[in-house]
Amino acid sequence: MSVNGKAEVKRLFIGAGCNRIVNNVSWGACGLVSFGAQHAVAIFSPKSAQILTTLPGHKATVNCTHWLPSTKFAFKAKHLQQHYLLSGDADGVIILWELSLADNKWRHVLQLPRSHKKGITCINGFMVSPSDAIFATSSSDGTVCIWDAVFPFSSSGGDCKLSCLETLIVGSRPMVTLSLAQLPGNTGHIVLAMGGLDNKIYLYCGERTGKFVHACELKGHTDWIRSLDFSLPVSSGEADSVLLVSSSQDKGIRIWKLTLRGSLANTEGTYRRSEISLASYIEGPVFVAGSFSYQISLESLLIGHEDWVYSVQWQPPSMAAEEGFGFYQPQSVLSASMDKTMMIWQPERKTGIWMNVVTVGELSHCALGFYGGHWSSDADSILAHGYGGSFHMWRNVGCSTDNWQPQKVPSGHFAAVADIAWARHGEYMLSVSHDQTTRIFAPWHNQEPHSDGGFWNEIARPQVHGHDINCAAIIQGKGNHCFVSGAEEKVARVFEAPLSFLKTLHHAISEQSSFPEDLQADVQVLGANMSALGLSQKPIYVNATHEISDNVGNDGLDTLESVPDAVPVVLTEPPIEDQLAWHTLWPESHKLYGHGNELFSVCCDHEGKLVASSCKAQSATVAEIWLWQVGSWKAVGSLQSHSLTVTQMEFSHDDSLLLTVSRDRQFSIFTINRTGTGEIDYKLLATQEAHKRIIWACSWNPFGHEFATGSRDKTVKIWAVEKASSVKQLLTLPPFNSSVTALSWVGLDRQRNHGLLAVGMESGLLELWSLHVGRTDGSTPVPAVTAALTVRLDPYMCHVSSVNRLAWKNRDNTENCTSLQLASCGADHFVRLYEVIVD
C-alpha cells in the first residue's frame, strides 16, 4: 500500500443491547426488527440474528421506534418496495427513515416539525394505502399529535408530504401508549385509543381531514395503562366490529369490543344484534362518530400474570387461501410481563372463554422481566426485550402441536462500553462496560458453512459484577486465557478461563488448527458461580460436578440468599441469553490491592509478564501507576510522574518502554528492564506537556519507538523517542472536527516502516490515516513522517457517541497483510468490528 493508498472498510459485526424502555422495539412487515440503542436506531435480522446497520441522527436516547407497515399489515405489504420507520427520542425529536428493499439502502427522509417539548413515549400508526400513512405520537409533555404522511410513489426519492392533523392536550398525566385503527363499517372514521398514568382508556374519533374529538372513556383497570392494541376488523359474517386489548400495572388484561350499531338515521333496530354470550357480559358506553354509533362492551378479562403487564399485541392476520379473499384476524393475543414470562391467549372453541395456551419465559435470575412482546408477520416467532437490554426469541417448530423453542438473537451491552481487547491469537475479543458485565465475542465457524469466517456472536460473559467496569487487559503470554479488569472499586481482579470455555472456544474455532489441546489437561476448573451478596466468582472444580447437580434447586426457593448454582456446559452452538447470563462465568483467581481510588486503566505487555494499572486521581501520590508480575501477581513497581488520572497506558512492542498519558495534559515514558534475577528495573525517561487539553489516547508504532497522542484539543501528534533520552515531536495531523478519544496504530510494511493509524472521536466518527516513518541516518537523527487520510468512515458505519477504545487484531509484524480487523467500542453501547482491506 502506498502512502496515499486507499482502503476499503467493511462491516463485520455490530453488538449492542436494547434501550431499557417500553415501546422501544418494532417488528416490521419487511421482516426486520428496529430498536433504540443509546442515540442510535439499530436494525437486526431475526433470520441471521445479526445487527445489520445503525441509523445516526438522534442526539438523545431513542425511546421508541415504529415501522410503517408493521407486522400487523404484512398481508398488505407484499409488493411494497419502500418501507418506512419512525423513531422518537428523549428530546421530543421524531425522525422518518426510508428503507428501499431493492438495494437495502437506508435514507434519512426528514425530521418531523418539533411539536413535542419532552420525550416521546409512544408512536403508533398504519398505512392507509401504499403511499399514505396516518400515525400518532405521544410525549411526556402531555400532548398527543396525529399526523398524515404521503410518501412518493417512485423509489427515486422525492419529497414526503407531512401534515399534523391534530394536537390533543391530555393534561398533567401523560399518555404512554397509543393505538390507531379504522372504525368498522367502512365509515371512513379513525379511532385513537390512548392510556397512561391513570386507570382510564380514552377514545378519540375523527376523520382523515377533520378534528379528533373525545368519544368516551373505558374504566375497569385499577392501575396505570401500559399497552393498547386494536385488532383489524373481526369477520363475523360482516366486518362490523374491532377488538381492543389493554394491559395495565394491575397485572390484568382486558379485551374490549367496538361494534357498529348502525346509522343514526335508522336506529329503529335496523342493525343485527350479536348473540348474548358469557364472553360479552358487560355493556359499556355508546359513542357517536359522524352519522354512526358504536357500542363498546367488555369481551373478556385475562388474569394470569403475576406482575405488571407491559405489552399486549394481536396476532397479525394470516393471508387467506385464495388471493384477493382478504384476511382473517386470528383470535390470539401475545402479552409480555415483568414476571419474566410471555403468554399467548386464545378463546376456547366451545365456551369462547379466553385462556392462556402458551407460556414462555426466562426463569433464571438473569431476566428481570420483559418490557415488550412482538409477533413475527407469519406468527411462528415471538420476540421479547427485557430489563437487561437483552432480546429473547422463541420459534414454533412443532408440526401438529405447539413447540416453542428459544432462538439465537443479537446481544450486547446496554450501557457505555469502556474498553475492548483482543485475545493473543485473535480468536475472540473481550469488552467491558458500565452495564457491569464483561463479554466475549467470537466468530462461530461451523454456524454458517457458506459464510467467510462465520458469524460473530457473544459466546461468554466471564464477569457479571456489582460495579461499572472501566478497563480490561488480556494477558498476552503463553498458558491459559487470562484477563485483568478494573471497575469502580480499588481492586483489580484476575480471571482465568475454565475448561467449559476452552472446549466451547474449540467448537467455535474448529476450522482453525492452532488450538492447544494440551491446555485442557491442565485446567481443573469447569466454571464459576456468582455469590449471592459478594462480588467474587467462585470456581466450580471438574471433580465436583456431581455435587453441584445434586444441590440445584433442593429447596426451590428463589431468594437473594439462595442463588442457584451455575451449570457450566460445553456449547456446541452459539449460546442464548439464559446460558450467557449464568453459566459462562470465569472464576476469579486473584485480587490486586494497592490503588487508593477506582481503577481507570490497565494494560499488559506483549510477552505477558507485566501488567500496569492506574486509578482515578487528583493528586500525584494517588496518580501513581502500579506494575504487577503475571503469575505471582505481586506488585513489583510504583511509577510516579502524573498529577491527575492516567487515562491510557501502552507498552512499546519490544516491551522496553511504557507510555502513559493523563488528564494533566502530559505524557510520560518509562524504561522497563528485567534483570537477570527476574526483578523489574524502571526509570522515568521523559515527561512532557503535549497538548492544551486532556490527553485521552496514545498508541505506539509497532515497528519502532514512534508514538501518537490524541487529545480533547482535537489534535493528534506524532512523537519519536531518541536514544539520548529525549522525545521530539515529528508531526501534527490536521485538526479534527471533534475531540480525539481513541487511537490505535497497526503496522503494514516493516521494510518501509509503514502503518495505519485509526482515530476515533467524541462525535463517534472514525478515520484511518496512513503513516510512513522515514529511516534515520547520522545527519538526520529525527525521522521524517508523512501522513495522509486513507478513509473517512461513513457515519452509518460509525458510533453515534464518543469512541472509547480502538484495537487492531493482533498480527505478526513480519507479515505484509492486506486484510486487517479493527475493533471499536463507544459510549453508545456498541461494540463494532470492521474488516479493513488495503491495496
Side-chain angles (χ1 to χ4, degrees):
M1 174 180 168
S2 65
V3 173
N4 296 314
K6 298 300 176 189
E8 181 187 358
V9 181
K10 294 180 180 177
R11 189 188 288 118
L12 275 188
F13 170 73
I14 304 171
C18 179
N19 286 341
R20 301 188 293 170
I21 303 167
V22 187
N23 300 326
N24 191 29
V25 176
S26 180
W27 199 332
C30 57
L32 301 179
V33 174
S34 63
F35 66 95
Q38 210 234 15
H39 300 170
V41 179
I43 308 295
F44 88 79
S45 165
K47 290 181 180 176
S48 64
Q50 297 286 304
I51 298 176
L52 304 179
T53 189
T54 55
L55 310 178
H58 290 283
K59 302 292 184 226
T61 301
V62 175
N63 282 351
C64 41
T65 63
H66 184 76
W67 281 96
L68 293 172
S70 63
T71 50
K72 184 193 288 189
F73 297 94
F75 69 97
K76 285 185 177 180
K78 278 190 170 181
H79 307 295
L80 283 183
Q81 287 303 304
Q82 273 76 39
H83 288 244
Y84 296 90
L85 178 67
L86 289 156
S87 57
D89 69 25
D91 282 346
V93 172
I94 302 170
I95 296 178
L96 177 66
W97 312 85
E98 178 191 82
L99 169 64
S100 172
L101 294 184
D103 53 6
N104 284 323
K105 289 283 176 65
W106 282 91
R107 182 169 75 95
H108 180 295
V109 180
L110 56 83
Q111 181 176 316
L112 271 66
R114 195 70 177 270
S115 55
H116 295 295
K117 295 175 182 175
K118 292 184 180 178
I120 307 300
T121 56
C122 186
I123 303 175
N124 187 271
F126 59 89
M127 302 285 285
V128 181
S129 70
S131 63
D132 199 355
I134 184 168
F135 62 93
T137 59
S138 65
S139 165
S140 50
D141 65 2
T143 61
V144 174
C145 294
I146 300 147
W147 307 81
D148 184 80
V150 179
F151 304 120
F153 274 104
S154 65
S155 59
S156 58
D159 292 334
C160 169
K161 295 176 183 175
L162 193 77
S163 57
C164 182
L165 299 179
E166 182 74 274
T167 299
L168 304 172
I169 310 296
V170 296
S172 60
R173 294 186 172 181
M175 297 296 132
V176 297
T177 179
L178 305 169
S179 188
L180 272 171
Q182 290 176 304
L183 279 170
N186 295 317
T187 62
H189 285 84
I190 289 164
V191 60
L192 169 65
M194 60 176 80
L197 308 190
D198 60 13
N199 52 16
K200 300 174 188 173
I201 300 167
Y202 300 89
L203 294 188
Y204 285 78
C205 291
E207 297 184 50
R208 288 289 309 283
T209 54
K211 291 179 70 67
F212 277 70
V213 294
H214 180 257
C216 64
E217 297 173 3
L218 305 182
K219 300 175 183 178
H221 286 293
T222 57
D223 207 335
W224 292 358
I225 310 299
R226 276 302 180 176
S227 183
L228 296 166
D229 190 35
F230 276 112
S231 72
L232 287 158
V234 176
S235 303
S236 56
E238 298 175 16
D240 60 355
S241 63
V242 294
L243 297 172
L244 171 66
V245 61
S246 62
S247 71
S248 164
Q249 289 180 190
D250 65 9
K251 308 175 189 176
I253 300 166
R254 289 171 179 256
I255 298 176
W256 313 81
K257 191 173 188 177
L258 280 71
T259 307
L260 174 65
R261 293 186 60 174
S263 169
L264 296 180
N266 13 299
T267 53
E268 299 293 326
T270 54
Y271 59 93
R272 286 186 307 119
R273 180 124 187 176
S274 59
E275 292 180 22
I276 299 296
S277 69
L278 181 64
S280 56
Y281 62 94
I282 298 180
E283 285 202 350
V286 174
F287 70 92
V288 175
S291 58
F292 294 87
S293 64
Y294 296 87
Q295 171 77 56
I296 302 179
S297 58
L298 178 64
E299 180 83 359
S300 189
L301 173 61
L302 314 184
I303 300 295
H305 285 295
E306 297 172 358
D307 209 333
W308 297 358
V309 185
Y310 264 129
S311 165
V312 280
Q313 192 176 86
W314 287 99
Q315 180 179 325
S318 54
M319 287 298 293
E322 296 178 24
E323 194 70 39
F325 178 76
F327 60 88
Y328 166 68
Q329 170 67 61
Q331 298 288 285
S332 180
V333 169
L334 174 69
S335 63
S337 166
M338 284 301 278
D339 66 5
K340 311 178 189 179
T341 63
M342 282 205 301
M343 295 182 180
I344 298 176
W345 306 80
Q346 292 172 359
E348 269 191 334
R349 289 185 180 178
K350 292 182 179 178
T351 63
I353 297 174
W354 285 76
M355 304 289 288
N356 165 28
V357 294
V358 174
T359 302
V360 295
E362 297 291 329
L363 301 176
S364 68
H365 266 55
C366 61
L368 294 173
F370 295 144
Y371 275 155
H374 303 270
W375 291 97
S376 64
S377 55
D378 55 7
D380 69 349
S381 298
I382 52 177
L383 176 77
H385 67 104
Y387 179 83
S390 55
F391 287 105
H392 309 258
M393 189 166 78
W394 290 266
R395 184 177 175 84
N396 188 3
V397 296
C399 296
S400 55
T401 58
D402 282 354
N403 181 14
W404 294 87
Q405 292 296 321
Q407 303 294 308
K408 183 76 186 94
V409 286
S411 64
H413 295 285
F414 58 88
V417 189
D419 204 353
I420 197 163
W422 283 95
R424 58 182 174 269
H425 299 302
E427 308 99 310
Y428 58 84
M429 53 186 182
L430 177 142
S431 60
V432 297
S433 164
H434 294 168
D435 69 4
Q436 306 184 349
T437 66
T438 299
R439 303 179 190 232
I440 287 178
F441 300 93
W444 203 280
H445 282 267
N446 55 10
Q447 180 186 2
E448 183 65 49
H450 303 296
S451 66
D452 183 18
F455 282 133
W456 282 74
N457 297 276
E458 184 181 349
I459 66 163
R461 207 167 289 171
Q463 185 184 10
V464 178
H465 202 40
H467 294 294
D468 295 1
I469 308 175
N470 292 329
C471 53
I474 294 179
I475 307 305
Q476 299 295 318
K478 295 179 180 177
N480 192 9
H481 297 268
C482 177
F483 74 90
V484 182
S485 71
E488 294 282 337
E489 56 178 347
K490 301 175 184 180
V491 184
R493 297 173 186 267
V494 183
F495 297 85
E496 293 193 21
L499 188 60
S500 58
F501 173 79
L502 297 176
K503 291 185 174 180
T504 296
L505 186 63
H506 186 39
H507 278 287
I509 60 172
S510 56
E511 292 182 0
Q512 301 177 9
S513 57
S514 61
F515 189 80
E517 288 285 349
D518 57 328
L519 187 57
Q520 298 182 15
D522 300 331
V523 177
Q524 296 301 311
V525 177
L526 185 62
N529 267 323
M530 172 61 74
S531 61
L533 300 174
L535 296 172
S536 300
Q537 293 168 194
K538 308 298 184 186
I540 299 171
Y541 291 96
V542 172
N543 56 10
T545 51
H546 64 282
E547 298 172 18
I548 289 154
S549 57
D550 291 343
N551 292 333
V552 172
N554 272 353
D555 54 6
L557 296 176
D558 186 13
T559 66
L560 282 174
E561 290 76 21
S562 62
V563 175
D565 286 323
V567 185
V569 293
V570 179
L571 302 167
T572 55
E573 60 184 13
I576 59 172
E577 177 69 21
D578 195 26
Q579 296 167 312
L580 285 169
W582 205 245
H583 305 302
T584 59
L585 293 171
W586 288 19
E588 181 185 307
S589 61
H590 293 85
K591 295 181 181 70
L592 309 182
Y593 295 95
H595 286 290
N597 278 335
E598 305 96 282
L599 272 288
F600 194 82
S601 107
V602 64
C603 74
C604 179
D605 68 358
H606 297 81
E607 280 188 48
K609 294 183 177 178
L610 274 184
V611 168
S613 62
S614 73
C615 71
K616 293 180 180 178
Q618 292 184 323
S619 65
T621 52
V622 182
E624 60 188 7
I625 296 153
W626 284 62
L627 295 180
W628 311 88
Q629 190 167 42
V630 175
S632 68
W633 296 109
K634 292 178 180 176
V636 293
S638 176
L639 315 180
Q640 291 189 343
S641 171
H642 296 286
S643 58
L644 293 174
T645 306
V646 174
T647 53
Q648 192 179 355
M649 306 174 288
E650 191 173 299
F651 286 91
S652 63
H653 284 254
D654 60 5
D655 289 337
S656 64
L657 301 173
L658 174 64
L659 168 65
T660 64
V661 294
S662 166
R663 283 180 173 269
D664 62 14
R665 308 173 187 178
Q666 296 183 340
F667 67 74
S668 296
I669 294 174
F670 300 87
T671 57
I672 308 290
N673 295 313
R674 294 170 178 81
T675 62
T677 59
E679 294 181 359
I680 304 299
D681 183 26
Y682 51 88
K683 185 179 72 171
L684 178 63
L685 180 72
T687 185
Q688 184 171 330
E689 184 165 329
H691 291 268
K692 297 175 182 176
R693 303 290 298 276
I694 294 170
I695 307 177
W696 282 124
C698 63
S699 188
W700 284 101
N701 174 13
F703 299 143
H705 284 172
E706 297 81 32
F707 62 90
T709 57
S711 164
R712 185 181 276 174
D713 65 11
K714 304 181 183 180
T715 63
V716 172
K717 297 181 180 180
I718 313 297
W719 311 79
V721 180
E722 292 183 297
K723 291 181 180 177
S725 73
S726 65
V727 178
K728 291 285 176 66
Q729 183 178 339
L730 304 182
L731 182 71
T732 301
L733 296 185
F736 292 86
N737 295 325
S738 180
S739 301
V740 176
T741 54
L743 294 172
S744 188
W745 196 333
V746 67
L748 292 176
D749 186 345
R750 180 177 286 277
Q751 297 293 320
R752 300 169 55 222
N753 202 354
H754 178 220
L756 274 182
L757 180 68
V759 181
M761 288 167 265
E762 193 174 35
S763 62
L765 300 181
L766 294 170
E767 293 184 5
L768 300 181
W769 285 75
S770 171
L771 296 180
H772 182 267
V773 182
R775 296 294 179 191
T776 61
D777 53 35
S779 59
T780 56
V782 179
V785 178
T786 52
L789 177 63
T790 302
V791 63
R792 182 176 284 124
L793 271 68
D794 187 301
Y796 279 77
M797 295 180 70
C798 295
H799 295 271
V800 295
S801 292
S802 179
V803 181
N804 284 338
R805 191 73 80 229
L806 293 167
W808 293 96
K809 181 178 175 181
N810 300 337
R811 53 187 288 269
D812 187 346
N813 290 332
T814 59
E815 304 175 27
N816 290 328
C817 184
T818 58
S819 178
L820 309 164
Q821 288 185 4
L822 174 66
S824 70
C825 65
D828 60 356
H829 311 178
F830 282 92
V831 171
R832 294 174 180 269
L833 179 62
Y834 306 96
E835 182 179 23
V836 180
I837 301 168
V838 293
D839 57 12

